[in-house]
Amino acid sequence: MSSWWRDAVIYQVYIRSFADGNGDGVGDVAGLRSRLPYLAALGVDALWLNPWYASPQVDAGYDVSDYRRLDPLFGTLEDAKALIADAHAHGLRLILDIVPNHTSDQHPWFQEALTAAPGSPARSRYHFRPGRGVDGSEPPTDWPSIFGGPAWTRTVEADGKPGDWFLHLFAPEQPDLNWTNPEVRAEFESILRFWLDLGVDGFRIDVAHGLTKDPAFPDVASTSTGMLDGVAADHPYFDRDETLAIYEGWRRVADSYEGERVFVAEAWVADASRVARYLTPTRLHTAFNFGLLSCPWDATALRTEIEATLGVLAAVGAPATWVLSNHDVLRHATRYGRAQTSLADARRLYGTPVDHALGERRARAAMQLINALPGGTYVYQGEELGLPEVEDLPPEAWQDPSRHHGGHDGPVRDGCRVPLPWSGDAAPFGFSPAGATAAPWLPQPAEWKNRTAAAEEQDPHSTLSHYRALLRIRREWLRRGLGDGTPLEWLAAPSGVLAFRRGEVLYYANLSEAPVALPAGYRVLIGSEAVEGAVLGVDVAVWLVAE
Ligand code: GLC
């Protein structure tokens, strides 16, 4: 019997933008609980919730000040317990987001460290180091922050004089923890147990390739501040061998619980072979396979990426977990709506004209692709509605901290985080209840009246209707072709056509510039669009079975 997580469809709930129960313009647990029937009807197997812990919200909750409490913005611990029970009652597993690379600067540990003396045990939970130069006024290394600017900030000592510097790979309000400190290791295993005891089914590990740093603190001499580009081996702070041992401890914790409690790593590493290192049987269960995010909409490129991923994961016995979008990257319905469709191009082309209809058509064919591949899939809230990136948010609405820190002139991450449209003709489109006291925390475009869940439910040709049908059929064929287990066999096909077989189910997608004929003797189980005759239109995908 195959394990649930080897081919689960996991819905990413970006909680602050999912559904607002109390009318303050920010999504919360009450809102999420009220929408569980929608998620169950969608046909997903599990939910991954972005961080809901107590936080100053400098980086939308990725700056945690208390890992055992909910931020009042989202609810209480009682609400969390009720959600876990409700989700399970709806047949949905629940995965939390654990943030081990850094805490908030408001975390009691960091506050204690700031007032403690250099070299004290309180400071050794983080990375405090003297600066360089005669008066220590230069950062200890040349490491850049992912959000721009240096990754070090200087402290002021008790006597008012400038003191040591502390490391923050992200915002200055997100100091990096020192994972060589046994207290840090023990604390995180205890946090895992706290939530596992409450019944959660697993964790997404934030910046899972971070955590340990080269103790020699060498310069990195890099001009790239991006984490999303993937890093090469032997890097001073990403993807280091010592990090893997931490997860062996975490795996022992998870395995000591009933049911299959699992991990998914967010590891932006050089390639799939580096990802596989995290996924041996004594380490983590899964990691996001981000390869398709950077892959152009091209049959050869997609096939190459898929083969590479499946090849290296098979060697360690781990399933793939396919991802097209998340809360950090441009929504793929927009990425695919331009001629150049890799993630790097998407950043360069931000705000340039986009063909939304084309992007949505390809997004449906891509969704049908990943759900036909071996392994599991992720769906980022709103993907099921075909939502585009909102690229014209007014600057005064921007919230993402990456915009604050010099060095970044690219797009900010707010455009994929706009609150979901549920119903109605005008903002807040059912995101907040009637009589809400505040507008949604990011403004929703007026055109979204055609993109609400309610509107798409009424339309049998909508992306929502397609996605629901897709997941229903995927479940019917699960482990009889689709999902985990059945090998993928590439089929001969005309140039620009992606074609493979999974047991009895065939996948065909036409990425060429002209319609192509489908093989004879098969019927269409589902198409990303209506298919007429035996002809597959451009940017359309089908699942076929023998007639
Ligand atoms: C991860 C999160 C991102 C966050 C960063 C720092 O990449 O997905 O949203 O800003 O880590 O925690």
Side-chain angles (χ1 to χ4, degrees), residues 21 23 37 65 123 132 199 335 370 374 377 381 417 431 434-435 438 530 542:
S65 53
R123 285 209 169 175
R132 293 196 284 198
R335 180 160 60 89
I370 64 172
T377 61
Q381 67 178 43
R417 299 177 175 181
F431 169 71
V542 285

PDB file of all heavy atoms in Angstrom, residues 21 23 37 65 123 132 199 335 370 374 377 381 417 431 434-435 438 530 542:
ATOM      1  N   GLY A  21     -12.539  35.761   8.278  1.00  0.00           N
ATOM      2  CA  GLY A  21     -13.734  35.463   9.066  1.00  0.00           C
ATOM      3  C   GLY A  21     -14.199  36.620   9.938  1.00  0.00           C
ATOM      4  O   GLY A  21     -15.391  36.765  10.201  1.00  0.00           O
ATOM      5  N   GLY A  23     -13.564  40.035   9.501  1.00  0.00           N
ATOM      6  CA  GLY A  23     -13.820  41.322   8.859  1.00  0.00           C
ATOM      7  C   GLY A  23     -12.734  42.368   9.023  1.00  0.00           C
ATOM      8  O   GLY A  23     -12.972  43.545   8.768  1.00  0.00           O
ATOM      9  N   PRO A  37     -15.459  23.104   3.239  1.00  0.00           N
ATOM     10  CA  PRO A  37     -16.259  22.322   2.275  1.00  0.00           C
ATOM     11  C   PRO A  37     -15.841  22.580   0.822  1.00  0.00           C
ATOM     12  O   PRO A  37     -15.829  21.664   0.000  1.00  0.00           O
ATOM     13  CB  PRO A  37     -17.696  22.810   2.535  1.00  0.00           C
ATOM     14  CG  PRO A  37     -17.675  23.272   3.971  1.00  0.00           C
ATOM     15  CD  PRO A  37     -16.306  23.878   4.164  1.00  0.00           C
ATOM     16  N   SER A  65       7.849  35.114  16.321  1.00  0.00           N
ATOM     17  CA  SER A  65       8.281  35.507  17.667  1.00  0.00           C
ATOM     18  C   SER A  65       7.859  34.485  18.723  1.00  0.00           C
ATOM     19  O   SER A  65       8.396  34.478  19.824  1.00  0.00           O
ATOM     20  CB  SER A  65       7.757  36.896  18.024  1.00  0.00           C
ATOM     21  OG  SER A  65       6.368  36.961  17.846  1.00  0.00           O
ATOM     22  N   ARG A 123      23.917  34.938  23.124  1.00  0.00           N
ATOM     23  CA  ARG A 123      24.293  35.354  21.756  1.00  0.00           C
ATOM     24  C   ARG A 123      24.653  34.155  20.877  1.00  0.00           C
ATOM     25  O   ARG A 123      24.545  34.241  19.655  1.00  0.00           O
ATOM     26  CB  ARG A 123      25.457  36.339  21.809  1.00  0.00           C
ATOM     27  CG  ARG A 123      24.956  37.705  22.262  1.00  0.00           C
ATOM     28  CD  ARG A 123      25.783  38.824  21.698  1.00  0.00           C
ATOM     29  NE  ARG A 123      25.099  40.088  21.951  1.00  0.00           N
ATOM     30  CZ  ARG A 123      25.614  41.277  21.658  1.00  0.00           C
ATOM     31  NH1 ARG A 123      26.810  41.363  21.118  1.00  0.00           N
ATOM     32  NH2 ARG A 123      24.921  42.368  21.908  1.00  0.00           N
ATOM     33  N   ARG A 132      34.694  43.845  10.322  1.00  0.00           N
ATOM     34  CA  ARG A 132      36.053  43.942   9.778  1.00  0.00           C
ATOM     35  C   ARG A 132      36.461  45.412   9.696  1.00  0.00           C
ATOM     36  O   ARG A 132      35.652  46.308   9.935  1.00  0.00           O
ATOM     37  CB  ARG A 132      36.081  43.290   8.388  1.00  0.00           C
ATOM     38  CG  ARG A 132      35.854  41.789   8.483  1.00  0.00           C
ATOM     39  CD  ARG A 132      36.258  41.071   7.215  1.00  0.00           C
ATOM     40  NE  ARG A 132      35.277  41.257   6.133  1.00  0.00           N
ATOM     41  CZ  ARG A 132      35.210  40.462   5.059  1.00  0.00           C
ATOM     42  NH1 ARG A 132      36.028  39.443   4.924  1.00  0.00           N
ATOM     43  NH2 ARG A 132      34.325  40.700   4.127  1.00  0.00           N
ATOM     44  N   GLY A 199      -1.877  17.032  16.487  1.00  0.00           N
ATOM     45  CA  GLY A 199      -2.489  16.261  15.397  1.00  0.00           C
ATOM     46  C   GLY A 199      -2.155  16.710  13.989  1.00  0.00           C
ATOM     47  O   GLY A 199      -2.760  16.218  13.033  1.00  0.00           O
ATOM     48  N   ARG A 335       2.789  33.999 -16.179  1.00  0.00           N
ATOM     49  CA  ARG A 335       4.083  33.617 -16.761  1.00  0.00           C
ATOM     50  C   ARG A 335       3.893  32.991 -18.143  1.00  0.00           C
ATOM     51  O   ARG A 335       4.611  33.317 -19.089  1.00  0.00           O
ATOM     52  CB  ARG A 335       4.765  32.629 -15.800  1.00  0.00           C
ATOM     53  CG  ARG A 335       6.101  32.111 -16.223  1.00  0.00           C
ATOM     54  CD  ARG A 335       6.898  31.550 -15.038  1.00  0.00           C
ATOM     55  NE  ARG A 335       6.265  30.448 -14.341  1.00  0.00           N
ATOM     56  CZ  ARG A 335       6.423  29.156 -14.664  1.00  0.00           C
ATOM     57  NH1 ARG A 335       7.180  28.820 -15.686  1.00  0.00           N
ATOM     58  NH2 ARG A 335       5.819  28.214 -13.963  1.00  0.00           N
ATOM     59  N   ILE A 370       1.035  18.058 -14.691  1.00  0.00           N
ATOM     60  CA  ILE A 370       1.642  17.650 -13.413  1.00  0.00           C
ATOM     61  C   ILE A 370       0.789  16.593 -12.713  1.00  0.00           C
ATOM     62  O   ILE A 370       1.314  15.725 -12.036  1.00  0.00           O
ATOM     63  CB  ILE A 370       1.969  18.848 -12.475  1.00  0.00           C
ATOM     64  CG1 ILE A 370       0.737  19.594 -12.015  1.00  0.00           C
ATOM     65  CG2 ILE A 370       2.983  19.770 -13.124  1.00  0.00           C
ATOM     66  CD1 ILE A 370       1.023  20.645 -10.935  1.00  0.00           C
ATOM     67  N   PRO A 374       4.193  11.008 -12.325  1.00  0.00           N
ATOM     68  CA  PRO A 374       4.380  10.250 -11.088  1.00  0.00           C
ATOM     69  C   PRO A 374       4.633  11.207  -9.931  1.00  0.00           C
ATOM     70  O   PRO A 374       5.366  12.182 -10.092  1.00  0.00           O
ATOM     71  CB  PRO A 374       5.638   9.422 -11.373  1.00  0.00           C
ATOM     72  CG  PRO A 374       5.794   9.397 -12.852  1.00  0.00           C
ATOM     73  CD  PRO A 374       5.202  10.675 -13.343  1.00  0.00           C
ATOM     74  N   THR A 377       1.333  16.619  -6.263  1.00  0.00           N
ATOM     75  CA  THR A 377       1.310  17.965  -6.843  1.00  0.00           C
ATOM     76  C   THR A 377       0.890  18.982  -5.788  1.00  0.00           C
ATOM     77  O   THR A 377       0.218  18.641  -4.806  1.00  0.00           O
ATOM     78  CB  THR A 377       0.325  18.060  -8.025  1.00  0.00           C
ATOM     79  OG1 THR A 377      -1.003  17.764  -7.564  1.00  0.00           O
ATOM     80  CG2 THR A 377       0.696  17.100  -9.132  1.00  0.00           C
ATOM     81  N   GLN A 381      -3.310  28.478  -3.812  1.00  0.00           N
ATOM     82  CA  GLN A 381      -4.672  29.023  -3.811  1.00  0.00           C
ATOM     83  C   GLN A 381      -4.878  30.047  -4.936  1.00  0.00           C
ATOM     84  O   GLN A 381      -4.061  30.932  -5.144  1.00  0.00           O
ATOM     85  CB  GLN A 381      -4.995  29.647  -2.459  1.00  0.00           C
ATOM     86  CG  GLN A 381      -4.190  30.886  -2.115  1.00  0.00           C
ATOM     87  CD  GLN A 381      -4.616  31.481  -0.772  1.00  0.00           C
ATOM     88  OE1 GLN A 381      -4.841  30.777   0.205  1.00  0.00           O
ATOM     89  NE2 GLN A 381      -4.747  32.802  -0.728  1.00  0.00           N
ATOM     90  N   ARG A 417      -0.242  37.501  -4.044  1.00  0.00           N
ATOM     91  CA  ARG A 417      -0.792  37.319  -2.695  1.00  0.00           C
ATOM     92  C   ARG A 417      -2.111  38.063  -2.479  1.00  0.00           C
ATOM     93  O   ARG A 417      -2.567  38.219  -1.353  1.00  0.00           O
ATOM     94  CB  ARG A 417       0.240  37.809  -1.672  1.00  0.00           C
ATOM     95  CG  ARG A 417       1.555  37.052  -1.730  1.00  0.00           C
ATOM     96  CD  ARG A 417       2.594  37.580  -0.770  1.00  0.00           C
ATOM     97  NE  ARG A 417       3.797  36.744  -0.795  1.00  0.00           N
ATOM     98  CZ  ARG A 417       4.880  36.955  -0.043  1.00  0.00           C
ATOM     99  NH1 ARG A 417       4.910  37.993   0.793  1.00  0.00           N
ATOM    100  NH2 ARG A 417       5.913  36.151  -0.122  1.00  0.00           N
ATOM    101  N   PHE A 431     -14.468  37.820   0.181  1.00  0.00           N
ATOM    102  CA  PHE A 431     -13.271  37.474   0.973  1.00  0.00           C
ATOM    103  C   PHE A 431     -13.514  37.803   2.437  1.00  0.00           C
ATOM    104  O   PHE A 431     -13.191  37.016   3.329  1.00  0.00           O
ATOM    105  CB  PHE A 431     -12.050  38.232   0.446  1.00  0.00           C
ATOM    106  CG  PHE A 431     -10.836  38.143   1.340  1.00  0.00           C
ATOM    107  CD1 PHE A 431     -10.134  36.952   1.458  1.00  0.00           C
ATOM    108  CD2 PHE A 431     -10.407  39.243   2.082  1.00  0.00           C
ATOM    109  CE1 PHE A 431      -9.021  36.856   2.303  1.00  0.00           C
ATOM    110  CE2 PHE A 431      -9.302  39.161   2.922  1.00  0.00           C
ATOM    111  CZ  PHE A 431      -8.614  37.957   3.036  1.00  0.00           C
ATOM    112  N   ALA A 434     -19.921  40.378   5.094  1.00  0.00           N
ATOM    113  CA  ALA A 434     -20.661  41.630   4.957  1.00  0.00           C
ATOM    114  C   ALA A 434     -20.448  42.442   6.237  1.00  0.00           C
ATOM    115  O   ALA A 434     -20.382  41.879   7.329  1.00  0.00           O
ATOM    116  CB  ALA A 434     -22.143  41.324   4.755  1.00  0.00           C
ATOM    117  N   GLY A 435     -20.312  43.744   6.087  1.00  0.00           N
ATOM    118  CA  GLY A 435     -20.130  44.597   7.261  1.00  0.00           C
ATOM    119  C   GLY A 435     -18.709  44.609   7.780  1.00  0.00           C
ATOM    120  O   GLY A 435     -18.446  45.041   8.902  1.00  0.00           O
ATOM    121  N   ALA A 438     -12.695  46.581   7.551  1.00  0.00           N
ATOM    122  CA  ALA A 438     -11.523  47.004   6.783  1.00  0.00           C
ATOM    123  C   ALA A 438     -11.553  46.367   5.403  1.00  0.00           C
ATOM    124  O   ALA A 438     -12.129  45.292   5.210  1.00  0.00           O
ATOM    125  CB  ALA A 438     -10.248  46.586   7.517  1.00  0.00           C
ATOM    126  N   ALA A 530     -12.363  21.611 -24.482  1.00  0.00           N
ATOM    127  CA  ALA A 530     -13.155  20.663 -25.256  1.00  0.00           C
ATOM    128  C   ALA A 530     -12.346  20.236 -26.483  1.00  0.00           C
ATOM    129  O   ALA A 530     -11.715  21.060 -27.131  1.00  0.00           O
ATOM    130  CB  ALA A 530     -14.459  21.318 -25.683  1.00  0.00           C
ATOM    131  N   VAL A 542      -4.671  16.460 -23.169  1.00  0.00           N
ATOM    132  CA  VAL A 542      -5.717  15.459 -22.901  1.00  0.00           C
ATOM    133  C   VAL A 542      -5.147  14.281 -22.128  1.00  0.00           C
ATOM    134  O   VAL A 542      -3.948  13.997 -22.203  1.00  0.00           O
ATOM    135  CB  VAL A 542      -6.339  14.879 -24.205  1.00  0.00           C
ATOM    136  CG1 VAL A 542      -7.282  15.861 -24.854  1.00  0.00           C
ATOM    137  CG2 VAL A 542      -5.264  14.418 -25.177  1.00  0.00           C
TER     138      VAL A 542
END
